[in-house]
Amino acid sequence: MKTSVDWALLQQQARAASEQAYAPYSHFPVGVAILAQSGKIYTGCNVENASYGGTTCAERNAIAAAVVAGERQFQALVVFTPQEKLTPPCGICRQVIAEFFTPQSPVASCNHLGQIQQWTLGELLPSAFTPLYLAESTKVDTSAAAKS
């Protein structure tokens, strides 16, 4: 079921999620709202950790929440940060987004000033390493038996 994207609602939900962020180290709260193909909206916020590598970004938390709920296909994603500069997803989040969204999926960033910028996932992550890429790859047998 494909629904139209209510950007204002996604921005509102992403902003509300950012208010729940746990960001005592970076002081950079991030909230995300994603629209699933089903029409449901899922949100996430960043959760930092004293061991910085243990930090989980808002995008991955929102996608994980949706996957737990049984979702696998998504239409749009909005990132909210209370920063003057609009913030797109980081590299690892772009890779995770590419697992569930299409290259044509809209990804937007908005802020507390009401500014918004939109890209397609393909613009943010060209030539993505995706399930489709793997499916279309030629498998090569490198075992010793194949070499003899």
Side-chain angles (χ1 to χ4, degrees):
M1 162 184 163
K2 186 162 178 122
T3 60
S4 63
V5 178
D6 183 342
W7 291 104
L9 179 60
L10 286 176
Q11 289 176 60
Q12 175 189 19
Q13 295 286 318
R15 183 178 193 141
S18 78
E19 294 169 4
Q20 299 304 315
Y22 179 73
Y25 308 106
S26 71
H27 306 287
F28 193 83
V30 180
V32 166
I34 57 175
L35 176 62
Q37 202 71 20
S38 68
K40 293 181 182 175
I41 295 174
Y42 296 87
T43 61
C45 63
N46 54 321
V47 179
E48 294 181 351
N49 189 281
S51 171
Y52 294 158
T55 294
T56 306
C57 296
E59 296 89 335
R60 290 183 281 145
N61 278 331
I63 290 170
V67 168
V68 167
E71 303 283 1
R72 297 294 186 271
Q73 295 180 318
F74 304 96
Q75 291 185 48
L77 183 145
V78 172
V79 177
F80 173 87
T81 54
Q83 306 291 321
E84 288 186 22
K85 188 172 182 174
L86 295 170
T87 308
C90 73
I92 193 166
C93 286
R94 292 177 193 200
Q95 180 62 47
V96 173
I97 293 166
E99 185 76 15
F100 297 99
F101 290 72
T102 70
Q104 296 77 33
S105 295
V107 176
S109 179
C110 64
N111 64 13
H112 64 292
L113 302 172
Q115 299 169 320
I116 187 166
Q117 183 174 358
Q118 187 173 310
W119 307 267
T120 65
L121 177 58
E123 290 171 325
L124 289 175
L125 188 63
S127 303
F129 186 73
T130 64
L132 180 60
Y133 179 88
L134 286 174
E136 293 175 345
S137 296
T138 303
K139 310 303 184 270
V140 177
D141 187 355
T142 60
S143 68
K147 292 179 184 178
S148 17

